[in-house]
């Protein structure tokens, strides 16, 4: 059936339906990239090919490729001998060209081979009338976590969705079945793991089980799976490795012994892991002429699209091409006559080779620089310095294409330029990527098709791989396109990747060329080749040195570029030889250019050596470049010797000659420019004979250039003015031969503008003064008749007044210069339009207009800078203001910009003064500077850094605030560390502790006299049992208490520090039980957390000292002073001082003995309780002794209150007073320290248990927990 095509690929066989190509493409339709630049040179520009390419390079290089349309009359005749031109094309299977499609086909080949070696035939299943993409299925399952994870998490519906199947048709189950039967065994074998026994013991689809004609059984052999040698009838012998396996031990098991050759699982895995052969195009078996190939190509295209070839739209061919290369189902084969040697078969351009007599027209095209046989060897092309013909680079290649025939993504050898000319035929579609994105393209292709690059790392150099531009663009690679029509050139730039295909039957020719700007790219290419170990086409060093050896033959631009390149090469060579001096003492000069390339290639990186190489007398067949001296051999160092082409002194001498050649033009050009730009008063006298010597010198040494042409023009003007003025003054003419006034004025202006003094100028310029004009006008006014010349005289008078005003305004006359504004210039322009026109007036008007235009442009620039839409650097604004000051016009915007510039400079000065001071600047000062700097229309890097510093300071302050302050805290970070406020609060509240007035006075006096200990002792004893109010019964009217300022009511808590009373439900109560850590003894009541600090006294989270120290370390990195930081530093110093004193107090023998006593009691009390329980003594709390943890609940503590023992340790009065003072000071610190808890435990244990206080605390805590 003609409507179906059959594709055979290895062991796979599947069918597909070939639908009309005009149908919608499957998946996303191809979106053409943007067009590349197109240039149309004039005939004058077209005369210098490489000069024109250099002119368009800044624009075209950004796209990678460009198209050039020659002038319409440039149509070279096609010069190929049609009768003798025969070629054999390449065969291209389209779906093998595309990288991702080839990966899929390679995968299908391997999986088919996997089942084939197991005597199985495999048909790829169809789902929803579409062939199942096994490669995508495998990759998606792997992305989702593997087969087991997808089954466990039931992701098969998601796999089906990612494959593009519609939901709701139970396709996920089908995919799982096909994956488990076909792909899963292959993937496991491919990974080298063992295949688990499947649930169903049946072979894959179409698995043909065959029985061996004679079963080989050996009693001594054992099964490799189970290790047993019994059941010989089921024991199989592998035909690959002679291992033995039971049929039921195989995965999957076999019901019957197979027929023919059978491979074990190990051999199957080894077969599947064999690398594939490198991909390449095969040659067709048929030889074509141009006529026979064209007939085949046109017939194919007409049949494929079912319409005449010239009616098929290029857009349709482009869409269909990218659809075909992405399809694994359709196998379309085309032929391409590529890389046909023009030297053997003849060029499409006329050539002067003596084989054919050329007409005059053909001789013109044979000499043209756009002839691809001529362009590589033009004087400005570097390839003209390479000996021999390099096919494809110096000698063009020919290309005969048909529809869909393609050239894959590649860059030219040595990253050179290339130029392609389409002689005739249907268009050629190109895609290009600029050099800046070359590495990105390589990364994307390696990322998307790593399987191809695994076996062919230099795949992109093989010209056999293509990838859809839409895929590249979606991964950030810029791509452009163009359709090259007959008679058009396409240029590709250094390292610009390009690819494309032919729209139909056509004939093209291409060649490489290199210009001066290519040299750095060429050197980078050699370094790239060295990393890839790729062979070079020619030696870059040899080319550079050959040009450097004859600098006088080089174009000046090429000499300068060669000098820069040679300098880098010499520096690198010097470094490499210096590093080799310690190992190698022997040297030998070698003329490397006389050796064949294969005899001077580095054995390691394959680079063609020229300047030097390392060799060994014991290994004469090998050498290495100086980058791989360690890889030559293991022979003793005395056997090594350096082969060199030039000594370092010779290289330096070549470099010097290049420098002299490249700088000679600069010296000459500077002298010429200086002579041509002389102003009035400094002009050269006489006829300036040395200007002629400039011209003669330039014509001898330098090629044609713009400066030389300008010099010749000036010299011609000098000669003409000299002859004309001499003739005018020596031979005055009469009648019609006289010079007109306009001609005379033109001559005067020309003589004035010359860069030298013409002695006849003053005689020629002699004219009537203004007083004579006034006298003539007065006489004319007295006449009785109207004289027409009076009007002319009035016009001359107006001209004189206006020109005088212009000269005064512009300052070209003596006297004081008036201030010029834009309004003055505009009024002068308006007045100049009303005076009679002349050459002088027009010249003055032109000068005024130019000045006005320049002034308005600078005003506009200043306005843009002042609008702050985009701030400009200080240097840019300085340059604008400085250049604008050169304009003799007062510009308001420039003055405003100067004011901003002055303020910005003052801002920078202030910042430097602040930052260069003895101390770090304060945050407030820096914030003020930031606010001022942001208002200026100037971009200052210092402002950005300052903003970062301020932001870092704010970030540190926020972090410190979060560390210290509680949520919704009413205090600031500075208030938290205010020790004096807490001391005042504590003194005031001493009166609330129950002391009488006398005691209070005594306490105050004791503190003033240094007897704070006595006051503390009195206060502590007075509130030990009264820190909690039970019912709130007091004599006298009740006073407001608590943070709510309400009336006293039970239960009430009293702050340990400020002695104020608080309602139990209004403030957080102590936890009593430990929130974490090991369980404690409930009878050790001194370990309970019973100390209550009110919100006024505990104003922060009280972080640990280590946390605060970390904040201070971060603060030290900030070049900013913060008040919070200084307060935090003071707090830390007080905390560290207190910690030292507390450690000394705690480490005294008396306190250590008390602590040891408490530790012993923790165990002893528990043991006593257990002994009582074992003895059957029923004491309250002993029958069920709770464990002291947070989870047990505080309610379990109530039965223990009667059992609490008091004053379990004894302290000396002085020690107790010292610890109480330390406790008070520690409570004033907003820092958590371990010594605070230790001192609290010891003081609690040295006092009587406050049972009522503890009972109230337990009640309050229970109520809090219930809420």
């Amino acid at each position: 059936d003609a409507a179906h095509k059959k594709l055979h690929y290895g062991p796979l066989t599947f069918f597909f339906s070939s639908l009309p190509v005009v149908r919608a493409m499957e998946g996303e339709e191809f979106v053409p990239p943007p067009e590349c630049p197109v240039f149309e040179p004039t005939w004058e520009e077209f005369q210098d090919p490489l000069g024109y390419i250099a002119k368009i390079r800044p624009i075209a290089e950004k796209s990678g490729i460009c198209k050039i349309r020659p002038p319409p009359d440039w149509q070279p005749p096609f010069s190929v001998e049609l009768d003798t031109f025969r070629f054999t094309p390449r065969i291209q299977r389209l779906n093998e060209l595309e990288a991702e499609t080839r990966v899929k086909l390679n995968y299908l080949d391997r999986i088919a081979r996997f089942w084939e070696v197991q005597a199985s035939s495999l048909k790829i299943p169809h789902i929803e009338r579409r062939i199942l993409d096994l490669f995508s299925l495998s990759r998606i399952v792997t992305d989702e976590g593997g087969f087991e994870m997808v089954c466990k998490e039931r992701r098969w519906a998601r796999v089906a969705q990612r494959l593009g199947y519609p939901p709701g048709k139970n396709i996920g189950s089908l995919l799982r079945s096909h994956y488990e039967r076909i792909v899963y065994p292959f993937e496991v074998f491919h990974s080298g793991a063992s295949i688990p026994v499947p649930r169903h013991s049946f072979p894959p689809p179409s698995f043909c089980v065959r029985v061996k004609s004679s079963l080989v059984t050996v009693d001594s052999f054992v099964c490799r799976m189970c290790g047993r040698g019994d059941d010989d009838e089921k024991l199989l012998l592998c035909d690959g490795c002679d291992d033995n396996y039971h049929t039921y031990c195989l995965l999957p098991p076999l019901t019957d012994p197979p027929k023919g050759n059978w491979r074990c699982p190990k051999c199957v895995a080894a077969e599947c892991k064999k690398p594939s052969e490198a991909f390449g195009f095969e040659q067709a078996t048929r030889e074509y002429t141009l006529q026979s190939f064209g007939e085949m190509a046109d017939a194919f295209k007409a049949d494929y699209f079912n319409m005449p070839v010239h009616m098929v739209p290029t857009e349709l061919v482009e869409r269909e091409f990218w659809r075909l290369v992405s399809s694994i189902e359709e196998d379309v084969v085309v032929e391409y006559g590529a890389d046909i040697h023009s030297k053997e078969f003849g060029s499409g351009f006329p050539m002067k080779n003596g084989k054919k007599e050329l007409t005059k027209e053909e001789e013109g095209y044979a000499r043209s620089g756009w002839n691809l046989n001529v362009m590589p060897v033009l004087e400005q092309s570097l390839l003209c310095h390479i000996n021999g013909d390099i096919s494809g680079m110096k000698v063009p290649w020919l290309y005969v294409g048909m529809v869909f025939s393609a050239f894959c993504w590649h860059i030219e050898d040595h990253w050179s330029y290339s130029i392609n000319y389409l002689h005739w035929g249907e268009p050629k579609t190109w895609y290009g990527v600029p050099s800046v994105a070359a590495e990105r393209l390589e990364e994307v292709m390696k990322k998307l098709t790593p399987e191809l690059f695994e076996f062919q790392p230099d795949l992109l150099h093989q010209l056999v791989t293509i990838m859809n531009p839409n895929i590249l663009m979606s991964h950030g690679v810029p791509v452009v396109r163009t359709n090259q029509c007959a008679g058009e050139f396409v240029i590709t730039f250094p390292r610009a990747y390009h690819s494309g295909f032919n729209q139909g039957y056509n004939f093209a020719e291409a060649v490489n060329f290199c210009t001066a700007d290519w040299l750095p790219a060429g050197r980078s290419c050699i370094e790239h080749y060295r990393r890839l170990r790729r062979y070079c086409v020619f030696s870059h060093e040899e080319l550079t040195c050959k040009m450097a050896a004859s600098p006088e033959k080089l174009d000046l631009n090429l000499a300068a570029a060669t000098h820069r390149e040679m300098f880098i090469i010499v520096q690198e060579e010097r470094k490499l030889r210096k590093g080799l001096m310690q190992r190698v003492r022997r040297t030998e000069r070698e003329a490397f250019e006389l050796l064949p390339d294969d005899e001077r290639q580095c054995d390691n990186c394959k680079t063609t050596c020229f300047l030097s190489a390392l060799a060994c007398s014991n290994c004469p067949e090998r050498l290495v470049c100086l980058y791989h001296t360690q890889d030559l051999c293991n022979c003793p160092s005395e056997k090594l010797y350096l082969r060199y082409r030039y000594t370092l002194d010779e290289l330096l001498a070549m470099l010097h000659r290049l420098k002299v050649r490249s700088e000679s033009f600069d010296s000459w050009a500077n002298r010429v420019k200086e002579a041509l730009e002389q102003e009035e008063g400094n002009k050269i006298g006489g006829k300036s004979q040395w200007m002629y010597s400039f011209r003669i010198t330039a014509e001898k040494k330098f090629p044609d250039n713009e400066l030389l042409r300008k010099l010749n023009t000036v010299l011609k003007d000098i000669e003409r003015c000299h002859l004309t003025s001499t003739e005018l003054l020596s031979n005055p003419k009469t009648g019609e031969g006289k010079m007109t006034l306009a001609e005379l004025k033109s001559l005067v202006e020309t003589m004035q503008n010359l860069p030298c003094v013409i002695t006849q100028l003053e005689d020629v310029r002699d004219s009537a003064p203004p007083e004579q004009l006034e006298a003539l006008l007065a006489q004319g006014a007295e006449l009785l008749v109207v004289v027409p010349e009076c009007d002319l005289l009035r016009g001359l008078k107006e001209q004189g007044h206006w020109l005088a005003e212009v000269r005064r305004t512009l300052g070209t006359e003596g006297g004081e210069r008036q201030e010029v504004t834009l309004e003055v210039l505009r009024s002068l322009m308006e007045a100049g339009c009303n005076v009679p026109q002349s050459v002088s007036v027009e010249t003055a008007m032109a000068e005024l207009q130019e000045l006005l235009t320049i002034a308005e442009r600078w005003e506009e620039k200043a306005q843009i800078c002042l609008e702050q839409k985009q701030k400009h650097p200080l240097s840019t604004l300085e340059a604008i203001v400085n250049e604008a000051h050169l304009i003799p016009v007062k510009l308001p915007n420039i003055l405003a910009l100067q004011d901003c510039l002055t303020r910005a400079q003052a801002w920078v000065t202030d910042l430097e003064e602040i930052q260069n001071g003895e101390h770090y600047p304060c945050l407030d000062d820096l914030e003020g500077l930031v606010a001022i700097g942001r208002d200026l229309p100037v971009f200052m890097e210092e402002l950005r850094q300052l903003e970062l510093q301020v932001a870092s300071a704010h970030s540190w302050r926020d972090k410190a605030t979060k560390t210290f302050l509680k949520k919704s805290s009413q205090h600031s970070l500075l208030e938290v560390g205010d020790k004096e406020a807490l001391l005042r609060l504590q003194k005031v509240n001493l009166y609330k502790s129950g002391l009488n007035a006398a005691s209070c006075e005594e306490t105050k006096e004791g503190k003033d006299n240094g007897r704070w200990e006595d006051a503390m002792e009195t206060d502590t004893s007075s509130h030990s049992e009264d820190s909690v109010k039970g019912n709130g019964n007091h004599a006298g009217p009740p006073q407001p208490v608590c943070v709510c300022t309400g009336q006293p009511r039970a239960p009430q808590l009293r702050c340990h520090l400020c002695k104020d009373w608080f309602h139990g439900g209004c403030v957080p109560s102590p936890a009593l039980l430990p929130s974490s850590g090991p369980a404690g003894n409930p009878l050790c009541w001194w370990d309970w957390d019973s100390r209550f600090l009110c919100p006024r006294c505990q104003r922060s989270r009280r972080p640990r000292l280590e946390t605060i120290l970390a904040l201070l370390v971060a603060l030290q990195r900030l070049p900013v002073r913060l008040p919070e930081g200084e307060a935090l530093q003071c707090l830390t110093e007080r905390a560290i001082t207190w910690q030292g004193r507390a450690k000394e107090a705690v480490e005294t023998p008396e306190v250590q003995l008390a602590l040891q006593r408490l530790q012993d009691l923790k165990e002893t009390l528990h043991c006593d309780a257990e002994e009582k329980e074992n003895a059957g003594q029923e004491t309250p709390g002993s029958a069920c002794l709770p464990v002291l943890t947070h989870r047990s609940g505080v309610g379990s503590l109530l039965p223990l209150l009667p059992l609490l023992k008091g004053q379990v340790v004894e302290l000396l009065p002085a020690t107790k007073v010292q610890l109480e003072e330390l406790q008070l000071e520690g409570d004033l610190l907003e820092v958590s320290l371990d010594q605070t808890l230790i001192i609290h435990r010891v003081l609690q244990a040295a006092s009587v248990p406050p049972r009522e206080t503890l009972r109230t605390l337990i009640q309050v805590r229970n109520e809090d927990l219930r809420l």
Side-chain angles (χ1 to χ4, degrees), residues 1042 1049-1053 1062-1069 1260 1263-1264:
C1042 192
R1049 65 174 184 275
Q1052 291 189 143
L1053 304 179
F1062 297 87
H1063 300 134
C1066 294
V1067 292
S1069 59
V1260 172
E1263 292 179 3
D1264 292 344

Side-chain angles (χ1 to χ4, degrees), residues 28 35 179 311 314 447 557 692 779 818 896 1024 1043 1081:
E28 296 183 1
E35 292 292 322
Y179 184 91
M311 295 183 62
T314 57
K447 175 184 176 182
N557 185 34
Y692 286 99
Q779 292 177 10
Q818 65 181 21
S1024 60
V1043 292
N1081 191 333

Side-chain angles (χ1 to χ4, degrees), residues 964 975-987 989 1007 1012 1016 1055-1059 1091 1093-1094 1096-1100 1102 1130-1132 1134-1135 1138 1141 1220-1233 1236:
F964 271 90
E975 294 172 345
V976 165
D978 189 0
K979 177 184 176 183
E980 300 301 326
L982 287 173
L983 286 174
R984 289 194 299 271
L985 182 65
Q986 203 276 343
K987 288 181 181 180
N989 283 283
K1007 176 63 178 176
W1012 180 256
M1016 278 300 304
C1055 176
H1056 181 76
L1057 190 58
C1058 69
K1059 308 303 181 294
R1091 185 175 50 166
L1093 294 178
C1094 69
R1096 296 171 182 165
C1097 296
Q1098 186 172 346
R1099 297 182 289 178
S1100 72
R1102 297 206 170 189
C1130 294
L1131 173 63
T1132 305
R1134 295 204 309 268
W1138 181 89
R1141 292 171 51 212
E1220 286 173 345
E1221 182 181 359
L1222 284 172
Q1223 184 181 33
L1224 175 63
E1225 292 185 27
D1227 288 340
L1228 290 172
L1229 295 173
E1230 293 291 336
V1231 184
S1232 294
L1233 297 166
T1236 308

Side-chain angles (χ1 to χ4, degrees), residues 305 312-321 403-404 501 503:
F305 289 97
V312 183
T314 57
E315 297 82 2
L316 175 60
V317 179
E318 187 173 25
R319 290 198 304 269
E320 184 63 12
F321 173 79
V403 68
F404 298 145
F501 66 93
Q503 293 275 345

Side-chain angles (χ1 to χ4, degrees), residues 874-932:
L874 202 61
S875 58
T876 302
L877 299 185
E878 287 178 347
I880 291 175
V881 171
N882 291 336
E883 291 186 32
H885 281 165
L886 300 177
I887 303 172
V889 183
K890 181 181 179 181
L891 304 175
N893 288 340
I894 291 293
L895 295 177
L897 190 61
Q898 185 177 11
D899 178 63
C900 293
L901 186 60
T902 304
R903 287 190 287 141
Q905 292 169 341
W907 185 90
V908 173
T909 303
D910 293 343
L911 177 61
E912 291 175 351
E913 290 178 356
I914 290 177
Q915 291 183 337
N916 295 333
E918 296 181 0
H919 305 287
Y920 282 142
C922 294
L923 180 60
D924 293 342
D925 296 338
L926 296 186
E927 286 177 336
L929 280 176
V930 168
I932 295 173

